[in-house]
C-alpha cells in the first residue's frame, strides 16, 4: 500500500475512492473519472428518465422518480392527478438524499405533504420514488440483491457480471407500509449497515442462512419452488446492460476531460455494485448503483461493551475475493504476453525456487478510517494467497538456477478456479445496440467542445454545431438558436449542476437536441425524431469531413 503515492510507474493502480486519488499517467486504474458523480441518485434518476422518455417499455425496471427540491410542485401535482383519476391508489414513497449512503437519511412517506421541508432539503437535494410495496419475500423477510458488475472498458464497451452476489435481509418480518410501521427501518430498509444494529441480525457460518446470504442460495430455493431462474438471470443481465448504456454518455464526457484522446494516460476499469429488488412475479427492479461497493470480508463482533473483534464472514469471502481476483485476471497486462510466449521464469526467492515476473499493483485506500484500511489490507492478503495458487511458487518441484526449464511450463491460469465473471457485452451487443442513441448524441457534444479537458459547451460551439449540421432555416434562425442555448443553459445551471465552469452541460445539450428533433420531425415518436436527427447530423458532418480532405489534397 502507498498512502502517499509512488514515484515509479505501476501496472495497476487500485484506488480506494475515486480516479483522482493519485496522479497517474500510464497503466490501468480501477476507477473511471466521473463515476461517483454519474451514479449519484439524482444523476442516475435523470439518466434513467431520459431513457424512459425514449424507450418507456425497455426501462420500466426503474421506479418513477422526482427530484427535490426542484420538482416538488410537479411531484405534488402528479400525485394529486393520479389519486383523482384512481381513488383506490394508496401509494407509499421513499425519500433518498442525493449524497446519502448506507441508508443514511432515508425515510418513507404516504403523502407529498409529509416531506421534511427543512433547510436540509435545500442544502441536501434528494430523490423521491414510488416505494415497492409488494416485494418477493423469503422466510417472511424483505431482501435485496447486491450484484457485482465489472465495467472493463468504456470504448469499446465491455461489461462483465459476477455469477454470484449477496442477498441482504431485513431483520423484522415484512408488512406492507402503514402509518404505524413507516418508521420501522429493520422491516423496510435492506441496508446491511442499518440491519447490523438490529438484535435480530444473524451472522451465519453458512452461505445459505442468516441475514446475509449468497444470491445463488436464493436461486436454489426459487428453483426448488418451480421458478424460472434462467429467465430471472436473463432479466437481470438486461437490466445491467441497459443501466450502463444509460450511464455511458456522461462517463464519456468525464473520460475525455481527464484523459484527452491522443495524450498519454491510463486506461480504466471499475467494479460497480448493483442493488436490485425482486417483485413477487420475479421482475427485477433497480434500486441504485454504487461506485464504491464495500469489499469487506469480515464483520465486527462485540466481545464485551466497547470491545470488538474482527470475525471472518464466509459469505462475503466467497463472493468478494472471487470478484477481485478475477477482475485482476481480466485486466492483467501480462496475460496477453503469456498467451503468445512460453511462461518465462526467473530466480526470485532465497530458496532457489522460480516465480513469475510480477505485475506491480499500487493499492491506495483513500480512507481516513483505520478500520477500512485494515479490512482493505486483509482482503489484499487474502487475494495474495489466491493469486499465488497460479504462480510458479506453488509448484512442489521447481528447477534450480542451473537446471534446464521444462519444455512447457504450466499456465498460471491452470491452478485458478474458472472465472466467476461472465461477459455480457459485447456478447449480447446486437440485442441492445439500438438503445445507444444518447451515446451518439454525446459523441456530437464531445466533438464540438473545442477545448480539450472541458465538460461544457460554449455558445460558439453550439452555434458551430447547428451551422455545420445545417439545422437552422427560415423557420429557425440563428437568433432562435442563441435563445434556445441561453434558456436551457440558464435553467440547468440554476439547478446547481457543476458551477466550476460556465456553459452547456451534456444533459442540457441532450434536452436541446431533443427540442431540435421535435421541431424538425413532428408527429413521430420521440425515439424516431431523435434517431433521424442523429443520422442527419452524422451524415452532414461526414460530408463536411470528406470535403475538407478533398480541399486538403487539392
Amino acid at each position: 500500500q502507498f498512502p502517499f503515492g509512488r514515484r515509479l510507474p505501476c501496472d495497476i493502480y487500485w484506488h480506494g475512492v475515486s480516479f483522482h486519488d493519485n496522479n497517474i499517467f500510464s497503466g490501468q486504474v480501477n476507477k473511471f473519472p466521473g463515476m461517483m458523480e454519474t451514479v449519484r441518485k439524482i444523476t442516475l434518476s435523470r439518466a434513467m428518465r431520459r431513457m424512459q422518455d425514449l424507450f418507456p417499455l425497455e426501462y420500466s425496471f426503474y421506479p418513477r422518480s422526482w427530484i427535490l427540491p426542484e420538482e416538488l410542485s410537479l411531484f405534488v401535482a402528479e400525485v394529486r392527478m393520479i389519486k383523482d383519476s384512481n381513488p383506490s391508489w394508496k401509494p407509499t414513497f421513499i425519500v433518498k438524499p442525493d449524497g446519502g449512503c448506507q441508508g443514511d437519511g432515508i425515510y418513507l412517506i404516504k403523502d407529498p405533504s409529509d416531506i421534511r421541508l427543512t433547510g436540509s432539503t435545500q442544502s441536501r437535494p434528494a430523490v423521491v420514488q414510488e416505494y415497492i410495496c409488494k416485494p418477493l419475500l423469503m422466510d417472511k423477510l424483505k431482501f435485496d440483491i447486491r450484484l457485482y458488475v465489472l465495467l472493463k472498458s468504456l470504448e469499446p464497451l465491455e461489461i462483465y457480471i459476477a455469477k454470484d452476489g449477496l442477498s441482504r435481509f431485513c431483520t423484522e418480518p415484512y408488512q406492507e407500509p402503514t402509518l404505524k410501521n413507516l418508521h420501522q427501518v429493520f422491516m423496510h430498509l435492506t441496508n446491511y449497515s442499518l440491519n447490523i444494529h438490529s438484535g435480530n441480525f444473524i451472522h451465519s457460518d453458512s452461505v445459505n442462512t442468516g441475514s446475509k446470504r449468497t444470491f445463488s442460495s436464493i436461486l436454489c430455493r426459487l428453483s426448488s419452488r418451480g421458478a424460472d431462474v434462467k429467465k430471472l438471470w436473463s432479466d437481470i443481465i438486461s437490466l445491467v446492460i441497459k443501466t450502463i448504456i444509460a450511464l455511458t454518455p456522461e462517463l464519456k464526457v468525464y473520460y475525455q476531460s481527464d484523459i484527452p484522446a491522443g495524450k498519454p494516460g491510463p486506461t480504466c476499469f471499475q467494479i460497480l455494485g448493483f442493488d436490485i429488488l425482486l417483485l413477487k412475479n420475479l421482475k427485477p427492479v433497480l434500486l441504485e448503483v454504487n461506485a464504491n461497493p464495500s469489499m469487506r470480508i469480515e464483520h465486527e463482533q462485540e466481545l464485551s461493551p466497547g470491545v470488538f473483534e474482527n470475525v471472518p464472514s464466509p459469505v462475503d469471502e466467497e463472493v468478494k475475493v472471487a470478484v477481485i481476483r478475477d477482475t485482476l485476471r481480466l485486466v492483467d497486462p501480462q496475460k496477453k504476453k503469456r498467451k503468445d510466449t512460453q511462461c518465462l521464469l526467473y530466480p526470485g526467492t532465497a530458496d532457489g525456487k522460480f516465480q513469475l515476473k510480477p505485475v506491480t499493483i499500487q493499492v491506495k485506500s483513500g480512507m481516513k478510517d483505520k478500520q477500512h484500511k485494515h479490512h482493505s489490507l486483509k482482503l489484499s492478503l487474502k487475494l495474495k494467497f489466491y493469486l499465488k495458487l497460479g504462480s510458479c511458487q506453488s509448484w512442489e518441484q521447481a528447477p534450480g538456477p542451473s537446471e534446464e526449464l521444462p519444455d512447457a511450463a504450466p499456465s498460471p491460469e491452470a491452478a485458478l478456479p474458472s472465472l466467476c465473471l461472465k461477459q455480457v457485452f459485447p456478447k449480447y451487443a446486437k440485442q441492445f445496440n439500438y438503445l445507444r442513441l444518447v451515446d451518439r448524441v454525446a459523441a456530437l457534444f464531445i466533438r464540438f467542445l473545442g477545448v480539450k479537458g472541458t465538460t461544457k459547451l460554449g455558445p460558439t460551439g453550439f452555434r458551430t454545431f447547428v451551422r455545420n449540421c445545417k439545422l437552422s432555416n427560415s423557420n429557425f434562425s440563428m437568433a432562435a438558436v442563441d435563445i434556445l442555448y441561453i434558456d436551457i443553459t440558464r435553467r440547468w445551471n440554476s439547478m446547481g449542476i457543476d458551477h466550476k465552469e460556465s456553459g452547456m452541460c451534456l444533459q442540457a445539450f441532450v434536452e436541446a437536441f431533443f427540442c431540435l428533433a421535435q421541431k424538425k420531425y413532428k408527429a413521430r415518436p420521440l425515439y424516431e425524431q431523435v434517431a433521424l436527427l442523429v443520422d442527419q447530423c452524422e451524415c452532414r458532418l461526414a460530408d463536411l469531413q470528406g470535403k475538407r480532405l478533398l480541399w486538403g489534397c487539392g
Side-chain angles (χ1 to χ4, degrees), residues 179-247:
L179 290 174
K180 290 183 178 180
N181 69 28
L182 276 184
H183 305 294
Q184 295 185 28
V185 293
F186 298 146
M187 177 188 293
H188 294 294
L189 303 185
T190 54
N191 303 73
Y192 168 79
S193 53
L194 293 176
N195 283 280
I196 189 72
H197 300 293
S198 166
N200 297 328
F201 192 93
I202 300 171
H203 290 290
S204 175
D205 290 334
S206 168
V207 298
N208 303 315
T209 58
S211 297
K212 188 191 282 188
R213 314 174 195 176
T214 58
F215 180 44
S216 57
S217 71
I218 302 297
L219 292 176
C220 284
R221 288 187 62 175
L222 291 174
S223 180
S224 67
R225 297 177 185 177
D228 190 344
V229 172
K230 285 187 177 180
K231 184 182 184 304
L232 173 57
W233 255 121
S234 176
D235 291 343
I236 288 173
I237 289 170
S238 175
L239 177 152
V240 168
I241 294 174
K242 289 173 182 177
T243 301
I244 290 185
I245 284 175
L247 298 176

Side-chain angles (χ1 to χ4, degrees), residues 86-326:
N86 183 11
S88 63
W89 186 55
K90 298 184 187 304
T92 301
F93 303 97
I94 184 166
V95 183
K96 305 176 182 179
D98 181 44
C101 61
Q102 300 181 336
D104 176 43
I106 296 177
Y107 61 97
L108 304 185
I109 58 172
K110 296 294 285 183
D111 190 83
S113 61
D114 298 329
I115 289 176
R116 299 168 189 170
L117 290 173
T118 58
S120 62
T121 307
Q122 296 295 329
S123 59
R124 194 182 185 190
V127 168
V128 57
Q129 296 178 321
E130 276 192 84
Y131 179 75
I132 309 298
C133 293
K134 296 184 183 296
L136 177 70
L137 303 182
M138 193 71 68
D139 302 328
K140 298 182 180 179
L141 298 171
K142 180 181 174 182
F143 68 96
D144 75 353
I145 304 158
R146 162 62 61 85
L147 281 183
Y148 296 95
V149 175
L150 171 63
L151 181 56
K152 185 173 180 283
S153 169
L154 199 56
E155 195 63 61
L157 185 59
E158 196 170 349
I159 308 167
Y160 292 77
I161 299 181
K163 294 177 182 176
D164 204 356
L166 300 174
S167 299
R168 303 169 303 184
F169 282 74
C170 287
T171 47
E172 288 183 13
Y174 180 77
Q175 298 173 7
E176 289 195 27
T178 63
L179 290 174
K180 290 183 178 180
N181 69 28
L182 276 184
H183 305 294
Q184 295 185 28
V185 293
F186 298 146
M187 177 188 293
H188 294 294
L189 303 185
T190 54
N191 303 73
Y192 168 79
S193 53
L194 293 176
N195 283 280
I196 189 72
H197 300 293
S198 166
N200 297 328
F201 192 93
I202 300 171
H203 290 290
S204 175
D205 290 334
S206 168
V207 298
N208 303 315
T209 58
S211 297
K212 188 191 282 188
R213 314 174 195 176
T214 58
F215 180 44
S216 57
S217 71
I218 302 297
L219 292 176
C220 284
R221 288 187 62 175
L222 291 174
S223 180
S224 67
R225 297 177 185 177
D228 190 344
V229 172
K230 285 187 177 180
K231 184 182 184 304
L232 173 57
W233 255 121
S234 176
D235 291 343
I236 288 173
I237 289 170
S238 175
L239 177 152
V240 168
I241 294 174
K242 289 173 182 177
T243 301
I244 290 185
I245 284 175
L247 298 176
T248 50
E250 200 82 33
L251 283 174
K252 286 181 178 178
V253 173
Y254 280 108
Y255 196 89
Q256 64 80 35
S257 173
D258 279 279
I259 312 172
K263 288 190 176 182
T267 56
C268 301
F269 64 94
Q270 188 154 352
I271 298 170
L272 302 171
F274 274 64
D275 292 345
I276 296 169
L277 191 72
L278 298 181
L279 303 183
K280 283 185 176 180
N281 62 2
L282 295 187
K283 178 185 175 183
V285 174
L286 178 67
L287 300 179
E288 60 184 62
V289 180
N290 196 316
N292 291 310
S294 169
M295 287 297 169
R296 291 182 63 169
I297 56 171
E298 50 193 26
H299 61 84
E300 290 180 349
Q301 188 175 55
E302 191 170 13
L303 300 177
S304 58
V307 179
F308 294 89
E309 179 185 36
N310 292 310
V311 180
S313 170
V315 62
D316 285 298
E317 188 172 314
E318 178 163 323
V319 173
K320 295 175 182 177
V321 169
V323 167
I324 297 186
R325 178 197 65 215
D326 292 349

Side-chain angles (χ1 to χ4, degrees), residues 517-552:
Q518 289 167 320
K519 284 178 183 291
K520 190 167 182 65
Y521 303 101
K522 297 176 181 177
R524 290 175 181 263
L526 180 61
Y527 165 72
E528 286 186 25
Q529 294 171 329
V530 174
L532 287 168
L533 188 59
V534 170
D535 288 342
Q536 176 188 320
C537 291
E538 290 174 345
C539 187
R540 293 272 164 81
L541 292 172
D543 288 345
L544 187 61
Q545 183 68 16
K547 288 177 182 178
R548 285 174 178 168
L549 288 172
L550 285 173
W551 293 337

Side-chain angles (χ1 to χ4, degrees), residues 61-112:
F61 59 83
Y62 191 70
R64 184 162 29 184
S65 307
W66 297 265
I67 295 163
L68 304 178
E70 66 194 64
E71 293 179 350
L72 178 59
S73 57
L74 177 67
F75 171 52
V76 172
E78 287 190 0
V79 171
R80 185 182 298 121
M81 182 178 67
I82 297 172
K83 281 186 174 180
D84 289 344
S85 62
N86 183 11
S88 63
W89 186 55
K90 298 184 187 304
T92 301
F93 303 97
I94 184 166
V95 183
K96 305 176 182 179
D98 181 44
C101 61
Q102 300 181 336
D104 176 43
I106 296 177
Y107 61 97
L108 304 185
I109 58 172
K110 296 294 285 183
D111 190 83

